[in-house]
Amino acid sequence: MESVEFSRYLSMLTLSVHVVFATVGVGVPLFIMVAHWLGLKRNDDHYLLMAKRWAHGYVISVAVGVVTGTAIALQLALLWPRFMEFAGQLVALPLFMETFAFFFEAIFLGIYLYTWDRFKNPKHHFYLLAPVLIGGAMSALFITSVNAFMNTPQGFAVLNGELTNISPLLAMFNPAMPTKVAHVLTSAYMTAGFILASIAAFHLVKGNRHEYHRKGLALTMKVAFVFTIATALVGDLSGKFLAEYQPEKLAAAEWHFETEGEAPLVLFGVLTETNEVKYAIKIPYALSFLVHSNFTGEVTGLNDIPEEYHPPYIIHYFFDIMVSIGIGLMLLSLVYVIGLKFNWSIIRSKVFRWGLVASGPLAMVAIEAGWWFTELGRQPWIMRGYMTTAEGATTSPYVWAMFIAFAVLYFILMVGTIVVLTRMFRKNPVENEIEKIREKGSVAV
Amino acid sequence: MTIEILGISVLWLFLFGYVIVASIDFGAGFFNAQTLLTGKHHIVNTVIQRYLSPVWEITNVFLVFFFIGMVGFFPKTAYYFGTVLLIPISISIILLALRGSYYAFGTYGTKGHKGYTLMYGVTGVLIPASLTTALIVSQGGFIKETAAGTLELDYVALFTSPFAWSIIVLSLVSVLFISASFLAYYSSVAEDKGALKLFRKYTWIWSFPTLITALGIIIEMKWHNQDHFQGMLNLWWVFALSAIAFAVSLWFLKKARYGWSFIFVVLQFALAFYAYGVSRYPYLLYPNLTIYDSFTNETMAISLVVVFILGLMLLIPSLYLVFKLFIMNKPYIKKGV
Ligand code: HDD
Ligand code: HEM
Ligand code: HEM
C-alpha cells in the first residue's frame, strides 16, 4: 500500500478519536451552565452539585481533547505537507484563531474549577462559565471553517500557478461554512445532552431512585430535544447546500444516478453491480423536497458527473445512519418531554430507560457517521477542484509504522479515560457528596 | 523592520516561551521520578504537584501556537519539515500525549501509579531530545533528495553526527538547569526548606554542564556550518553577555536570592537564544529555505499580525488572573487551595 492510503487511515483515526472529545468539549459547558444557573436561581444544591460533577468529568475529557488535538494539528503538516503548504497561505487565519479560542476556554475552565469558594458573590463564579462556553463554540467555528474551505475553496485566484488576490476572510466565510458550523454546533449540544442523559438514566435503571438523577435526566433531555430539532433543521439546510455546491456528494449519498425531478429519498438497501438499488426503503418525492422544498424539483444525478469525481458510494450508509439516529432520537426525546408533562408511566418503564441509556452512544455514532459521510464524500479531492488527496500526501515511506503507533496510543487513551472517569465517580457517589454538603452547608469542597 | 522579520520574531518569542515553560515542566517530571528512586520523593512531591497541575495546558498551547504560526507565516516550512520529520515529530506527539494523559488521569482522577510516574519522568527527557531534531535538521546537511525528487531524512548522518548529539545533550542539561532553578525559587516561596535545599543543589549540579555544552556547540558549528559560525562570531558580544548573566545567576543563588537567580537564568537563555536566532538570519533551513522565499502572502501576514495583537489583548489579562490565583499566590502555593 502507498503512503497516501496510510496517511488517509491515520487522519481518519486521529480525527475520529479527537471528535469524541471535541464534541464533549464543545457541548458539555452549555449543560454545566444551565445546571449552575438553575442551582443559583432555585437555590437548589442538587443542581450546583450537578454542575460541579459534570465539570470534573469534563476536565478529563478536555485534557484528552488537547492531547489528540495537538496530534492532529501536527499531523496535518506531517501527513499532508503539500496541502498545508498550499492551504497555509489561505486558511492560516482560522487555524491561528482556533488556538486563541481554545486557550481562552482552557484558562477560564481552570479558574472555574479551582475557585468554587473564592468569590463572595457566587454569581461571579458562575460568570466564569461564559468564556468556557464561548471559547469552545469559537474553537468549533474556526476549525470547521477550515474544513468547509476544503469543500468549497474560495478567496483566491490562481494565475500561472501563482496564488493571487488572496482574501483570508472570504476563504474563511466560504459557502460551506454557515451550514457546516451551525450543524456541528447544534449536533454537539445535542450529543452532549444525550450523553449526560445516558449517565443519569443508567443510575435510574440500576435502581438508584435519588432525586438528583431524575432532575439531571429531565434537564438534559429537555435541552437535548430542542437541539435535536435544531440539528435536523440545519441538516436539511446542509442538504440544500450540497445540492447547489457539491452535487456529487449528495448524489452519491442518495445513490441517485439519473438527473430527474420527483426524486425519491433512498434509505439503506444494497447496490448491484449495474448500479441498481435493491431492498431499499424509498420515500417518494422526499429527495426533491430536501433539495428544493417542493416535490418536483430536479436533482442532479451521478451520471451527469464524470466518473473519476464520484465519491465512494459507501457514504450512502453513513448518511442513512446519521439521519436515522437523528430522527430516532428526536422521537425518543419527544416522547420523554411530553410524557414528563402528562405524567405517562411509559417513560419510567425499564425498556424506555434502556433506550435513554443508549441515546448518548447513539448520538456519538451519528457524529462519527456524519463526519465519515462528509469527509469520504469529498474524495478524491483534499481541496475540492484544486488538489487531490494523493497530491497532498506525504512521500515518506514510514506512515504505516506511525499508524500502528498511534492506534496503540489512542487505545490507551480511550481505555484510560473510561477507567478514570468511572473510578472517579464510583469512589465518590452522589449520595456521599450530598451528605457532605449537608454537613458543611456549601457545595464548595 | 520588514514583515518577514516581524513574523519570525513573534514566532521566536513563542518558541522561547515554550522552551522556558516546557523545560520547567519536563525537568520537574524528571526530578519527580528521580527522587522517587532515590527515596527523597516526599521532599519534592508537593511542590511539584502544586505547580504543575494548573499550568500544563498553557505549556502545550505555546507549542501549538508556535507551529500553527510557523505554517501560517512560512507555509513552505510545512512542506520541508513536514516531509522529513514524520518519525521524530510523531514520536514527540506520542510522548507528549502520554505526558498529557498523566495529568488527566493522575492529577484529576486517581493517584498515580508508581510506574506511571517513572514513565512521566522519562518522557521529560525524551521529548526535548525528539523535538530538538527539528532544530538540528534546520542546520542543514541532514536532508537528502531521492531519485524521484522527493525529500528524505538522512538518518545515518543524523545518528553519527557528534554535532547533532551535542545539541541533544544541551537540550537535556538546560532543561534540568532551568527547571531546578525555577523549582528552587518556587520552594523558597512555599517556604519548604527541604525541597529548597535539594533544588539548590540540583541547580549547581546542572549549571556548568549547560555552559560547557553550549560552548562546545559553538565550536563544532565551525565544522558543521561555516556560514552560521561566522554569524555567531559577529554576535560574540551577545553570547558574552549571556555568559555574564549565567555568572550573575549563580552569584544570586549563592546569596539565596532565588527569584533573581531564576530571572538571570531566563535572561541568560534569552540572550543566547536570540543571538543564535539572529546569527542564522535569514535561513529557516540551510540551505533550502530563507524567511523571504518561504514567506506567505502579504494579506495573510497582516491579518495574522492583527489577530495576534487582538488575541494577546484578550489573553494577557486572563493569564494575569491565572498567575494571581495560582502561580504567585502565597496561600495557594503553601496549602494548595
Ligand atoms: C448528532 C449528530 C447528527 C445528527 C442527528 C444529524 N447530523 Fe448531519 N452531520 C453531523 C451530525 C449529525 C456532523 C457530524 O456534525 C456533520 C459532519 C460534517 C458536518 O459538517 O456535520 C454532519 C453532516 C451533514 C451533512 C453534510 C454537510 C456537508 O458535507 O457539508 C448533511 C447534508 C447532513 N448532515 C444532514 C443531516 C440531516 C438531514 C439530518 C436529519 C436528522 C442530520 N444531518 C442529522
Ligand atoms: C473532527 C471530525 C472529523 C472527522 C471524524 C473526520 C474524518 C475524516 C475521515 C474519515 C477522513 C478520511 C477520508 C478518506 O481519505 O477517505 C478524513 C480525512 C481528512 N480530514 Fe477530516 N474529519 C474531521 C474533521 C476535519 C476537519 C475539521 C479538518 C480540517 C481542518 C479535516 C481535515 C482532513 C484532512 C486534511 C483529511 C485528509 C485528506 C482526505 O482524505 O481528503 N477533517 N477525515
Ligand atoms: C469539527 C471538528 C473539531 C471540533 C469541534 C474541535 C473542537 C475542539 C475543542 C472543543 C478542543 C478543546 C479540547 C476539548 O475541549 O475537548 C479542541 C482541541 C484541539 N483541537 Fe480540535 N476540534 C475539531 C477538529 C480539529 C482539527 C481538524 C484540528 C487540527 C487542525 C484540531 C486542532 C485542535 C488542537 C490543536 C487542540 C488542542 C488545543 C491546544 O492545545 O491548543 N481540532 N478541539
Side-chain angles (χ1 to χ4, degrees):
Chain A
M1 253 192 293
E2 298 212 39
S3 297
V4 55
E5 316 252 293
F6 280 110
S7 298
R8 288 171 62 182
Y9 297 143
L10 184 48
S11 291
M12 199 186 290
L13 181 67
T14 306
L15 285 157
S16 303
V17 173
H18 180 61
V19 79
V20 172
F21 300 97
T23 303
V24 171
V26 174
V28 169
L30 179 74
F31 292 86
I32 300 178
M33 210 167 173
V34 172
H36 197 146
W37 181 70
L38 282 177
L40 289 178
K41 211 180 102 189
R42 300 197 186 153
N43 204 0
D44 184 336
D45 281 344
H46 285 166
Y47 286 112
L48 289 180
L49 181 62
M50 218 177 273
K52 194 176 165 200
R53 283 172 72 93
W54 285 345
H56 270 269
Y58 175 68
V59 172
I60 291 183
S61 154
V62 168
V64 183
V66 169
V67 161
T68 52
T70 309
I72 312 177
L74 278 160
Q75 277 177 2
L76 277 182
L78 294 176
L79 300 176
W80 312 102
R82 279 286 182 211
F83 165 67
M84 277 313 265
E85 182 187 6
F86 193 71
Q89 306 174 58
L90 304 165
V91 282
L93 189 66
L95 274 176
F96 199 50
M97 289 200 276
E98 194 227 355
T99 322
F100 273 110
F102 170 73
F103 202 176
F104 194 57
E105 175 192 349
I107 287 177
F108 281 90
L109 177 63
I111 301 178
Y112 175 78
L113 222 57
Y114 289 100
T115 53
W116 271 89
D117 53 354
R118 285 234 202 146
F119 293 94
K120 294 224 168 57
N121 182 347
K123 280 236 176 77
H124 290 171
H125 182 229
F126 169 74
Y127 293 144
L128 289 171
L129 284 172
V132 178
L133 181 76
I134 296 170
M138 293 311 268
S139 258
L141 183 147
F142 292 132
I143 199 68
T144 311
S145 79
V146 174
N147 184 269
F149 173 85
M150 294 163 62
N151 284 287
T152 51
Q154 69 164 30
F156 63 97
V158 183
L159 205 72
N160 307 328
E162 295 279 322
L163 289 175
T164 57
N165 271 340
I166 290 168
S167 160
L169 285 179
L170 269 183
M172 195 175 141
F173 292 95
N174 55 70
M177 187 246 191
T179 43
K180 234 190 171 84
V181 170
H183 200 54
V184 164
L185 284 177
T186 51
S187 61
Y189 294 129
M190 160 186 167
T191 306
F194 284 116
I195 288 179
L196 296 172
S198 291
I199 299 171
F202 183 74
H203 286 283
L204 293 174
V205 167
K206 286 282 152 202
N208 186 328
R209 313 186 64 83
H210 205 289
E211 211 188 338
Y212 172 91
H213 298 300
R214 285 187 205 195
K215 285 180 181 168
L217 185 62
L219 183 162
T220 49
M221 285 300 285
K222 283 182 199 160
V223 180
F225 172 64
V226 174
F227 280 102
T228 310
I229 303 227
T231 303
L233 288 177
V234 183
D236 176 52
L237 293 177
S238 305
K240 293 183 169 43
F241 153 81
L242 283 187
E244 189 167 345
Y245 289 93
Q246 286 182 288
E248 73 281 4
K249 198 191 271 185
L250 187 69
E254 279 305 320
W255 288 345
H256 184 66
F257 289 92
E258 293 300 329
T259 302
E260 63 187 10
E262 306 185 359
L265 193 74
V266 177
L267 285 177
F268 298 100
V270 290
L271 202 59
T272 62
E273 302 260 303
T274 54
N275 287 343
E276 260 179 276
V277 182
K278 276 204 181 143
Y279 315 116
I281 308 165
K282 289 195 181 172
I283 308 174
Y285 309 112
L287 184 58
S288 286
F289 188 78
L290 178 72
V291 172
H292 296 287
S293 301
N294 66 46
F295 296 112
T296 53
E298 196 171 78
V299 182
T300 313
L302 283 168
N303 292 345
D304 284 352
I305 295 161
E307 180 101 33
E308 75 250 43
Y309 299 140
H310 286 194
Y313 300 152
I314 190 170
I315 62 173
H316 174 70
Y317 294 112
F318 294 120
F319 186 63
D320 286 351
I321 292 173
M322 171 180 71
V323 174
S324 315
I325 292 178
I327 292 171
L329 290 181
M330 195 194 301
L331 294 178
L332 186 81
S333 50
L334 180 72
V335 170
Y336 181 85
V337 171
I338 298 178
L340 203 60
K341 197 161 163 83
F342 295 104
N343 205 7
W344 290 351
S345 60
I346 171 174
I347 63 165
R348 284 186 296 278
S349 69
K350 204 136 200 180
V351 178
F352 192 82
R353 280 188 174 153
W354 273 115
L356 295 176
V357 174
S359 68
L362 280 176
M364 200 51 97
V365 169
I367 294 268
E368 296 282 357
W371 276 107
W372 282 54
F373 155 48
T374 184
E375 298 289 284
L376 284 168
R378 195 183 58 234
Q379 303 308 316
W381 301 108
I382 191 167
M383 234 175 100
R384 187 176 181 271
Y386 291 93
M387 186 185 278
T388 62
T389 307
E391 288 165 349
T394 182
T395 47
S396 168
Y398 307 111
V399 185
W400 64 271
M402 297 302 110
F403 179 84
I404 297 173
F406 278 100
V408 173
L409 172 72
Y410 298 140
F411 181 75
I412 298 175
L413 288 181
M414 288 294 218
V415 172
T417 310
I418 295 169
V419 169
V420 167
L421 279 176
T422 43
R423 213 190 280 166
M424 186 168 141
F425 289 112
R426 230 187 249 130
K427 243 182 36 191
N428 213 357
V430 176
E431 291 77 9
N432 290 7
E433 290 216 62
I434 290 172
E435 198 52 38
K436 255 195 263 166
I437 294 172
R438 260 201 214 111
E439 282 162 19
K440 300 232 165 114
S442 135
V443 175
V445 208
Chain B
M1 184 152 71
T2 64
I3 190 150
E4 287 88 348
I5 295 185
L6 181 66
I8 194 68
S9 310
V10 167
L11 292 177
W12 206 238
L13 189 67
F14 269 119
L15 190 58
F16 179 67
Y18 182 68
V19 166
I20 296 296
V21 276
S23 291
I24 294 176
D25 181 275
F26 295 151
F30 179 79
F31 293 130
N32 202 14
Q34 184 199 356
T35 49
L36 194 68
L37 294 181
T38 55
K40 293 188 179 132
H41 194 240
H42 55 284
I43 306 179
V44 299
N45 187 37
T46 30
V47 167
I48 289 180
Q49 290 296 337
R50 206 152 290 164
Y51 168 74
L52 289 181
S53 348
V55 291
W56 77 272
E57 285 178 353
I58 298 178
T59 312
N60 195 62
V61 170
F62 269 99
L63 176 67
V64 176
F65 260 129
F66 171 72
F67 66 77
I68 295 283
M70 199 72 192
V71 171
F73 279 107
F74 305 99
K76 274 210 172 67
T77 54
Y79 173 62
Y80 280 89
F81 288 101
T83 306
V84 298
L85 292 177
L86 176 71
I87 293 182
I89 298 297
S90 291
I91 293 175
S92 310
I93 303 173
I94 292 175
L95 294 169
L96 280 168
L98 290 174
R99 206 180 165 75
S101 71
Y102 172 82
Y103 292 106
F105 302 160
T107 320
Y108 301 129
T110 44
K111 270 272 160 288
H113 183 258
K114 199 166 168 178
Y116 219 52
T117 309
L118 290 180
M119 172 216 78
Y120 168 78
V122 173
T123 60
V125 222
L126 294 180
I127 295 171
S130 61
L131 283 178
T132 315
T133 32
L135 206 64
I136 298 171
V137 165
S138 79
Q139 287 296 341
F142 299 110
I143 296 182
K144 59 177 188 216
E145 209 163 311
T146 62
T150 58
L151 303 175
E152 245 179 41
L153 188 57
D154 189 342
Y155 285 96
V156 178
L158 187 67
F159 283 115
T160 53
S161 156
F163 175 72
W165 285 107
S166 325
I167 295 186
I168 290 179
V169 171
L170 177 65
S171 75
L172 295 184
V173 289
S174 14
V175 159
L176 297 176
F177 178 47
I178 295 173
S179 184
S181 168
F182 176 82
L183 289 171
Y185 164 60
Y186 203 75
S187 15
S188 82
V189 178
E191 291 169 23
D192 184 337
K193 296 250 163 55
L196 173 60
K197 203 167 145 225
L198 205 60
F199 285 124
R200 200 172 48 200
K201 192 174 92 191
Y202 290 150
T203 315
W204 279 110
I205 290 180
W206 294 109
S207 60
F208 284 99
T210 309
L211 193 72
I212 292 163
T213 27
L215 280 176
I217 287 170
I218 295 182
I219 295 167
E220 281 174 88
M221 189 68 90
K222 186 167 177 273
W223 290 282
H224 189 81
N225 184 332
Q226 186 67 39
D227 276 358
H228 193 174
F229 181 68
Q230 208 52 49
M232 284 177 151
L233 283 192
N234 295 341
L235 285 174
W236 66 271
W237 56 278
V238 190
F239 288 104
L241 282 178
S242 168
I244 292 173
F246 172 78
V248 175
S249 84
L250 289 186
W251 184 75
F252 275 122
L253 187 68
K254 201 154 185 277
K255 295 279 166 212
R257 307 279 295 273
Y258 302 105
W260 282 104
S261 174
F262 177 66
I263 288 175
F264 272 87
V265 170
V266 174
L267 196 66
Q268 172 210 340
F269 276 90
L271 287 165
F273 199 76
Y274 271 85
Y276 167 83
V278 173
S279 66
R280 57 183 296 164
Y281 170 86
Y283 285 99
L284 288 172
L285 169 64
Y286 283 100
N288 307 57
L289 284 185
T290 70
I291 59 172
Y292 297 103
D293 57 29
S294 63
F295 199 63
T296 187
N297 54 85
E298 188 117 337
T299 334
M300 181 55 85
I302 292 171
S303 54
L304 286 178
V305 171
V306 171
V307 163
F308 178 68
I309 292 169
L310 293 178
L312 280 190
M313 277 158 49
L314 201 69
L315 285 186
I316 289 176
S318 342
L319 274 178
Y320 173 73
L321 204 61
V322 173
F323 225 67
K324 243 187 72 178
L325 283 170
F326 301 114
I327 301 184
M328 287 306 135
N329 181 315
K330 269 205 179 189
Y332 175 77
I333 297 178
K334 281 193 194 160
K335 295 205 308 282
V337 283

